[in-house]
Amino acid sequence: MNISPSCMDETDPNALTVEQALQRILERCGPVDGSEPVGLHDVLDRVLATAVTARLDVPPARNSAMDGYALSGAESREGTRLRIAGVSAAGHPWDDTLKPGECLRILTGAVVPEGADTVVMQERVTARDGFITLEADCAPGSNVRHPGEDTRVGTEILSVGRRITAADIGVLASQGIGEVRVVRRPRVVFFTTGDELAPLGQPLKHGQIHDSNRYTLRALLSRYPVDFIDLGVVADTEQAVRDALARAGQTADLILTTGGVSVGDADFVTRLLQREGEVGFWKVAMKPGRPLAFGRFGQALFLGLPGNPVSVMATFSLFVRPALLRLCGTEPEAPWTLRARLLEDLRKSPGRTDFQRGILERRQGEWTVRSTGGQGSHQLRSMSLANAYIVLPSESRGATTGDEVDVIPFHSVF
Ligand code: AMP
Ligand code: MG
């Protein structure tokens, strides 16, 4: 892999664009091997390994869309009087054939009997002494649902690589399918690095901060169909980082780390991977989240995220998420972007794409967005307050109140 130097001036000619970095990552990511059968209760968000074909027509039989009366379309004119021959309720079909001059009391979801092809709503008839009289014409064929109108037997209903939704689970259940084969959960092993990191529940000594990245990462990962192992905080020594990488490399499909990927004296992660694995260290022309390491260690893919908490989240949303989805066997969608009216002026330096944290809100029929305030990579509250990125393109120097800007809602990237 190409290893490039890492000076940090604003317009670095060696820096990759976000799209280039993503493309390089995705080129190296494919689905993990292995699949398993999983029941419907546990299959939400898993990725299908084998296509599913409809084994039933749904609905299986002609049935009524209304509470009313089933009759023949030949006897559906205003004023027609018909004898009520029986009742068809959901789950209790009337198994006779309707004769001329007859109708059937029918309820929603009940089978429409032979001899009938139309259901008239109960509000459109007068019923008395075992007879109905139609109060208006009813178009032949009205209010009848036909077999296979939802799903036809033999149709492929879910294809390989589908990330299963609640609607999909309903469709599977409607087919009587209680279990499907899904891609095994990729194993993600992660750790944070830094001698300054103190555990929670312990007072901070001078120079210490609490380790927030590991908690954020765990929460981010829990949204994906992966198994993850947290190796904790790893000290800024070559030995500690080597041991952690070796442990991670034994089981992981993907190793995630935070911190230590720059070229400071205590930045061992990239250096070790250069020597003992395979790594590309990139500056990505974006803010936040510039330094990013990507490579392999043993069998595992490796993504080394920056240390700053906002950069961790930004690189997760833009690079780790698509890589994870690929490992899980499904194709990542491009982030959903919408245009919103900017409610304040924003400044930036040209030469990098900014993903500023914003609050996206619908006001008087229009999407609006404003900044969450301080945008430093260490200011994690800017993420906590935000619900969207405001994307300011590389060449721009900012945007002005009233401009339309691109916004990526967090729903689509986390
Ligand atoms: P590094 O890339 O290791 O030089 O870290 C960059 C910045 O992020 C430093 O200010 C670190 O203290 C901070 N940082 C690194 N790891 C964490 C973490 N796990 N939680 C919170 N802040 C961190
Ligand atoms: Mg560090």
Side-chain angles (χ1 to χ4, degrees), residues 192-193 196-197 209-213 258-260 262 267 306-309:
T192 54
T193 67
E196 74 278 35
L197 302 178
I209 56 170
H210 287 301
D211 172 12
S212 63
N213 288 345
T258 75
S262 297
D267 294 328
N308 275 307

Side-chain angles (χ1 to χ4, degrees), residues 137-157:
D137 288 353
C138 177
S142 298
N143 303 321
V144 175
R145 303 163 173 165
H146 293 275
E149 222 170 56
D150 179 10
T151 309
R152 195 161 287 292
V153 67
T155 312
E156 183 175 294
I157 46 177

Side-chain angles (χ1 to χ4, degrees), residues 19-36:
E19 293 73 24
Q20 285 168 336
L22 180 61
Q23 197 192 336
R24 289 200 190 179
I25 291 171
L26 290 183
E27 275 164 10
R28 296 266 186 138
C29 292
V32 296
D33 288 332
S35 64
E36 57 182 341

Side-chain angles (χ1 to χ4, degrees), residues 100-122:
E102 290 181 344
C103 69
L104 191 74
R105 173 70 175 142
I106 196 163
L107 303 175
T108 305
V111 172
V112 175
E114 290 292 311
D117 59 7
T118 303
V119 171
V120 58
M121 285 168 71
Q122 63 190 26

Side-chain angles (χ1 to χ4, degrees), residues 86-378:
V87 182
S88 179
H92 302 281
W94 184 78
D95 282 328
D96 244 332
T97 300
L98 214 59
K99 294 191 237 0
E102 290 181 344
C103 69
L104 191 74
R105 173 70 175 142
I106 196 163
L107 303 175
T108 305
V111 172
V112 175
E114 290 292 311
D117 59 7
T118 303
V119 171
V120 58
M121 285 168 71
Q122 63 190 26
E123 292 80 357
R124 304 269 164 83
V125 307
T126 324
R128 193 189 299 156
D129 302 332
F131 284 82
I132 63 163
T133 306
L134 273 68
E135 290 170 357
D137 288 353
C138 177
S142 298
N143 303 321
V144 175
R145 303 163 173 165
H146 293 275
E149 222 170 56
D150 179 10
T151 309
R152 195 161 287 292
V153 67
T155 312
E156 183 175 294
I157 46 177
L158 295 174
S159 36
V160 171
R162 171 78 182 178
R163 191 163 176 213
I164 294 172
T165 64
D168 297 342
I169 290 172
V171 168
L172 290 165
S174 76
Q175 288 289 320
I177 297 171
E179 191 179 89
V180 289
R181 188 156 274 283
V182 295
V183 178
R184 96 165 148 81
R185 293 173 185 274
R187 283 182 294 269
V188 181
V189 181
F190 65 97
F191 59 89
T192 54
T193 67
D195 283 348
E196 74 278 35
L197 302 178
L200 314 190
Q202 179 176 304
L204 294 177
K205 294 193 190 113
H206 188 53
Q208 287 189 323
I209 56 170
H210 287 301
D211 172 12
S212 63
N213 288 345
R214 214 152 42 83
Y215 292 86
T216 315
L217 270 184
R218 179 184 274 265
L220 291 170
L221 287 167
S222 67
R223 289 264 171 90
Y224 297 85
V226 299
D227 283 331
F228 50 83
I229 301 169
D230 177 355
L231 294 187
V233 180
V234 172
D236 283 326
T237 69
E238 188 167 316
Q239 191 56 45
V241 175
R242 179 185 285 117
D243 289 351
L245 282 173
R247 258 185 84 193
Q250 281 166 11
T251 52
D253 296 299
L254 173 66
I255 304 171
L256 282 181
T257 65
T258 75
V261 288
S262 297
V263 288
D265 293 342
D267 294 328
F268 294 107
V269 176
T270 318
R271 249 181 286 154
L272 265 165
L273 271 139
Q274 283 170 356
R275 251 187 281 140
E276 298 176 22
E278 183 191 348
V279 72
F281 173 54
W282 307 329
K283 291 145 296 158
V284 183
M286 65 182 275
K287 192 187 173 201
R290 216 162 356 175
L292 183 70
F294 174 67
R296 291 199 152 271
F297 191 80
Q299 291 304 300
L301 281 171
F302 170 83
L303 265 163
L305 310 185
N308 275 307
V310 178
S311 307
V312 168
M313 293 196 72
T315 49
F316 188 98
S317 62
L318 298 170
F319 303 114
V320 180
R321 172 190 161 86
L324 273 181
L325 290 173
R326 269 280 176 88
L327 289 176
C328 291
T330 194
E331 208 38 43
E333 274 182 352
W336 292 12
T337 304
L338 52 87
R339 304 280 285 168
R341 183 83 49 209
L342 189 60
L343 297 181
E344 64 194 287
D345 294 350
L346 298 178
R347 291 279 144 262
K348 75 179 271 294
S349 313
R352 62 183 194 215
T353 307
D354 268 28
F355 293 85
Q356 299 201 9
R357 275 73 68 207
I359 299 165
L360 177 67
E361 225 174 2
R362 191 87 181 153
R363 286 194 191 174
Q364 281 137 22
E366 169 176 78
W367 287 111
T368 64
V369 72
R370 64 205 150 94
S371 171
T372 55
Q375 295 289 310
S377 309
H378 60 298

